[in-house]
Every structure is written in C-alpha cells, then in structure tokens.
Amino acid sequence: MQETIPFTTHIPPAAPAGDGGATVDVKKLVVENSIIVVGKRGCCMCHVVKRLLLGLGVNPTVFEVDEPEEGHVAEQLSSLVDDGGEVQFPAVFVGGKLFGGLERVMATHISGELVPILKDAGALWL
Amino acid sequence: MNSSSTQFVTSGGMGMYDHMHQLSMWGESFKSNGSPHPLSSMLLPNTSPSLIITADMKLDNQSEDTSGTPGPLNKYDQEVTKSSEKIQRRLAQNREAARKSRLRKKGLYVASGVEASHVGFNGAVNSGIATFEAEYGHWLEEQQKHVSDLRAAVTSNISDGEMRVLVEASLNHYYELFRMKGAAAKADVFYVMSGLWKSSAERFFLWIGGFRPSELIKILRPKIEPLAEPQLQGICNLGQLCQQAEDALSQGMDRLQQTLAQSVADGQLGEASYSPQIDTAMEKLDGVVRFVRQADHLRKAALVQVSQILTPRQAARGLLVLGEYFERLRALSQVWATNTREPE
C-alpha cells in the first residue's frame, strides 16, 4: 500500500556523472511510483504538468534532470518503453508505463479521461 | 555563418539569425549618435505603407554610415541582403495594399497593428509573419462564409448529418488558424503572443496568443440552452477542466516570463552578440513557442469536446454564437478606432 505524501516528492539532484554509481536510478523510480514526472531542471513545461496534477489532488513524484544527465536519463527511460522510442522531456509515467508528455496530459484532461486513469493507477484518491 | 546569412534574412524560418540581427540592431539603437532616430515612425501602429518606405530608407542610410555595425553580417552581405529585402518589401506592400482594399470593400478590414508589424526595426521583412497576415486576411473572408452558413442552417430544417458537415467545416477552419499560428510563432513568437493580427478589442481578451477556452464556454452555454442534463453537465464540466488546464499553463508561462526577464536583465542580449548566453535566451524563446503551441492545442481540444458533447444542431448554434461574438469584437474595434468624440 502506497503511503500518502502530503507534498510533491522531489528527488535530490543526481551526483555529477563520473563513475555513474552515485546517480539515482530513474528506472527504479518509475517502477516504484504510481505517477512520476521526469523533466529537465527549471523546465517550465514540467512546471505546468506539476501544477495541473497538483490541482487535481495528485501528489506526483518529480524527478528533475540536470543537463549533463539528460542523455543518460533519456536512454534509461527509452529502455522502459516497449518500442524503445525516444523519450522527450517532460515525460510522465503512470503505473510504471510511459503515459506521455504535456500534450497528452492536457488532451486526456480535457476529454475527462485523465482523472479515471490516475485513480486506476492509485495516483489519485477520492 | 557569413555565407549562409543572406539566405537567412530572406527566408521565413530563420529563428536564431533573425533574432540575433534584430536584437543587435536594437542594441545599436541605444548607442545614440545624436541624429534623430527614425525608429519612432516605425512604431506607429497605423503607419501607411508609404511612410514605412520613408522610415526604411532613412534606416538604410543610417546603417550604411555606421561603421563597425555589430552582428554577424559583413558589409558585402549587408548590401546584397538589403536590395533583395527592398524588393521583397515592395512586393509585400503591394500585396498588402491590394488585400486591404479588397477587405475594406467588404467591410472586413479593421485597422490594427498589421501594417508595420511584419517589418522589423532594421527594415527587414519577416516573411513568415507577412505570409501569416496574408493568410489571415483570407481566413477572415472564409470565416464570414462559415458564419453565414451556420446562421442559415440553425433556422432551417436540414438533417443532423448535413448539420454535422457544416459543424466540421467550421471547426476545421479554426484548426487551420491554429496551424497558421504555429508557423507564425516560429517566425516571431512575440508577434503571436501579442496577438498583433487581431483587432484591438480581441486583443483585450488575449490569453497566451489567443482566446481563453473556459471564457468562451461560459459565454456559449446560456446561448445554446435549453440543454438536456447530461449535456449541461458535460459543458459545465468542460469549462472547469479548461479552467484547470489554463491555470497550469498560466503558471508555467509566468515562470518562463520571469526567467526570460532575468536573461534580459543579466545583459545576455547586449552588444556581444556572439555570447554563448544568447543560446540560452534563444532556448527560452523556444519555450515561449511551445507554450503558444500548447495553448492552441488546448483550444483545439476544447472545441473538439464541445462538438462531441453537443448535438449537431446545438454545436452549430454554439459555433454561430462564437463566430458572431468575434465578429462583434472586430466591429467594436473598428467603431472605436474611427469614432471621433467631442471633448467634454
């Protein structure tokens, strides 16, 4: 059972890539969280996704990627996607699967489909 | 960079070069050399084409006199660029004048910032914007037809199927405008963000380069009642969903504006136009383009939902209300602009 977190969970910045051993395992984060937003640090689009989700009562985990890590993280995330396609930031994962970017989030929100999807994944509680 | 710069100036989608050049010229304008600057006449919103020519020519003379002009162009490239620019400008102005006279005859033309808006500070024509403005003129003419068709349809007895065809046509016309705006945003995002192609009254209601979906839904709803319960619920719910999406986008936009303002304050757009910081500023401007795209995407999604929630007849009525609403705003702008009031 997932514990309720009162505030958005921010993952501390990854250590500079050197040995790679100290970097946060983003794949693990995706699998462990019902909803996670992965975006570039300071990205305003990521901020939009965050605000929208917060407004709905969701407490998304947010992983902000520093520029040097971008390529590495993108690669890792691609490996999680079935067709191995390129993952663009910001990327939203729901229930361990790639949901999409801001556009998809907006579209499903407007069509009324987003809230049920979030509830199904356990990211939103009534 | 030099060899391809001539190409850059005359094409529409040049992005970075155009910004750099315009910005470096802007920076130059602040280093006053004492002579009266012709820029002031460039900034008048209703400058007629002939006045633009005068201002352009003055600018050309001035920049020819200036030595050590900043920016990536060398002197030779500037000459070649300027003459082809002049030709392009004349042709564009001729097309503009012809288009406007056609629109005036139909009572469609509203004086706005249109004349001077696609001519930059340095006199270079932003062909992406010039294209957009020409296309928008046609779009307005087409829009008038769609609204007339809808008006005739809602008072008639045509079938739902036929009604749906009209609704789809009208919707697709809006989607076409979003596509046009997307291209224009790449040419000059500030132009799109400021809604410069719109009449002044329309611009009053501007939200991220266009209309605010939740606002339109609020206007629409009472005009298409009575509605069955599920549809009333659907429309009200849609209004709320739009409001939430708009709020999120607005907050993101505010943040972007802050970081952009910071870039300007940090002097990243100054005389050193080769500064690597220009890249960061350009990246942020790309961010603004993405916001415009997301906002238009939201508008389109809202229109799609409206057409899905309502019956074809209700949707036609709704689109008619929308079309007439914008027509009234444009008419209001024209009346206001031409109204001479007695001093009180």
Side-chain angles (χ1 to χ4, degrees):
Chain A
M1 190 82 171
Q2 188 143 45
E3 60 173 333
T4 337
I5 310 157
F7 300 105
T8 304
T9 306
H10 277 270
I11 310 299
D19 55 337
T23 51
V24 179
D25 186 349
V26 66
K27 290 209 269 194
K28 193 154 168 280
L29 286 174
V30 165
V31 162
E32 287 177 353
N33 288 277
S34 58
I35 180 162
I36 177 169
V37 183
V38 186
K40 297 180 188 178
R41 187 169 301 286
C43 171
C44 299
M45 289 287 156
C46 187
H47 189 66
V48 175
V49 176
K50 225 174 28 180
R51 299 308 314 182
L52 182 63
L53 292 171
L54 283 170
L56 296 177
V58 178
N59 305 306
T61 302
V62 179
F63 179 40
E64 292 189 293
V65 185
D66 290 307
E67 207 187 323
E69 314 291 305
E70 274 171 35
H72 173 69
V73 172
E75 252 178 66
Q76 297 237 287
L77 294 177
S78 284
S79 67
L80 288 172
V81 179
D82 285 336
D83 61 356
E86 197 193 311
V87 170
Q88 293 191 325
F89 298 119
V92 180
F93 287 80
V94 177
K97 290 206 285 263
L98 177 65
F99 182 73
L102 175 60
E103 200 161 302
R104 174 114 203 269
V105 172
M106 285 276 164
T108 45
H109 176 67
I110 294 302
S111 66
E113 293 165 312
L114 184 61
V115 168
I117 289 171
L118 293 173
K119 283 185 179 163
D120 275 350
L124 182 58
W125 306 83
L126 205 72
Chain B
M1 189 80 173
N2 276 344
S3 54
S4 51
S5 59
T6 310
Q7 231 177 338
F8 274 153
V9 179
T10 54
S11 72
M14 50 194 179
M16 190 165 192
Y17 171 72
D18 180 41
H19 286 122
M20 277 172 73
H21 196 187
Q22 290 194 7
L23 290 169
S24 64
M25 294 305 273
W26 185 29
E28 184 65 8
S29 80
F30 284 109
K31 294 185 205 164
S32 173
N33 58 5
S35 51
H37 209 281
L39 269 185
S40 52
S41 57
M42 292 295 288
L43 296 173
L44 288 173
N46 291 320
T47 315
S48 70
S50 56
L51 276 175
I52 290 177
I53 293 168
T54 314
D56 286 346
M57 282 158 69
K58 278 192 205 158
L59 261 175
D60 286 349
N61 290 338
Q62 187 145 47
S63 54
E64 266 155 29
D65 291 336
T66 310
S67 56
T69 314
L73 281 182
N74 62 31
K75 196 82 165 117
Y76 173 73
D77 281 5
Q78 276 181 318
E79 301 293 341
V80 172
T81 309
K82 260 181 273 182
S83 47
S84 61
E85 275 174 30
K86 276 184 193 159
I87 293 165
Q88 286 233 344
R89 227 176 7 246
R90 303 283 184 274
L91 290 172
Q93 281 158 2
N94 288 344
R95 283 195 297 271
E96 268 300 280
R99 176 181 74 80
K100 273 169 210 153
S101 109
R102 280 198 306 275
L103 289 178
R104 268 191 208 104
K105 284 181 190 147
K106 296 184 182 176
L108 281 172
Y109 182 70
V110 179
S112 65
V114 161
E115 283 98 333
S117 52
H118 63 273
V119 187
F121 285 115
N122 58 357
V125 172
N126 185 326
S127 62
I129 297 303
T131 303
F132 174 79
E133 291 184 339
E135 287 179 346
Y136 185 66
H138 297 137
W139 189 89
L140 278 177
E141 292 173 4
E142 281 292 314
Q143 178 66 359
Q144 212 189 21
K145 288 191 202 123
H146 285 291
V147 172
S148 302
D149 288 345
L150 288 167
R151 195 175 288 124
V154 296
T155 54
S156 75
N157 284 322
I158 64 171
S159 69
D160 270 6
E162 286 168 306
M163 194 70 87
R164 193 171 280 119
V165 169
L166 282 175
V167 166
E168 281 303 311
S170 174
L171 286 173
N172 284 327
H173 195 59
Y174 281 111
Y175 305 157
E176 176 58 20
L177 180 61
F178 299 147
R179 186 203 60 75
M180 284 159 53
K181 283 169 66 187
K186 292 199 190 112
D188 183 348
V189 71
F190 294 130
Y191 174 93
V192 175
M193 281 297 292
S194 310
L196 290 181
W197 70 97
K198 290 174 178 284
S199 62
S200 48
E202 285 173 293
R203 256 179 273 144
F204 177 71
F205 295 100
L206 206 68
W207 173 78
I208 310 188
F211 65 78
R212 193 186 271 271
S214 63
E215 210 166 77
L216 288 194
I217 288 167
K218 280 189 203 129
I219 289 167
L220 207 96
R221 200 186 43 80
K223 308 279 181 197
I224 56 173
E225 280 172 344
L227 293 172
E229 192 58 32
Q231 283 160 340
L232 186 61
Q233 275 281 37
I235 288 293
C236 290
N237 192 39
L238 179 63
Q240 196 188 17
L241 294 172
C242 286
Q243 184 74 66
Q244 288 167 334
E246 289 160 20
D247 287 346
L249 276 172
S250 293
Q251 289 181 61
M253 191 64 223
D254 282 349
R255 216 188 227 201
L256 185 58
Q257 265 185 318
Q258 278 172 43
T259 57
L260 210 55
Q262 197 62 56
S263 305
V264 174
D266 289 346
Q268 291 174 357
L269 305 175
E271 309 91 90
S273 43
Y274 276 119
S275 160
Q277 287 164 321
I278 268 275
D279 294 333
T280 335
M282 289 306 120
E283 242 180 72
K284 286 170 184 144
L285 287 180
D286 276 344
V288 184
V289 175
R290 287 171 78 192
F291 266 94
V292 171
R293 187 150 30 105
Q294 288 303 323
D296 277 349
H297 182 250
L298 177 63
R299 289 172 187 119
K300 180 171 178 178
L303 286 171
V304 167
Q305 280 304 301
V306 165
S307 71
Q308 288 185 352
I309 292 167
L310 302 176
T311 65
R313 193 161 279 273
Q314 289 165 344
R317 182 108 185 81
L319 287 168
L320 175 62
V321 167
L322 235 50
E324 286 181 336
Y325 175 73
F326 289 121
E327 275 178 358
R328 282 177 200 156
L329 282 178
R330 286 191 282 272
L332 174 65
S333 300
Q334 192 160 29
V335 165
W336 190 256
T338 57
N339 191 34
T340 43
R341 298 161 103 205
E342 294 301 302
E344 287 173 42

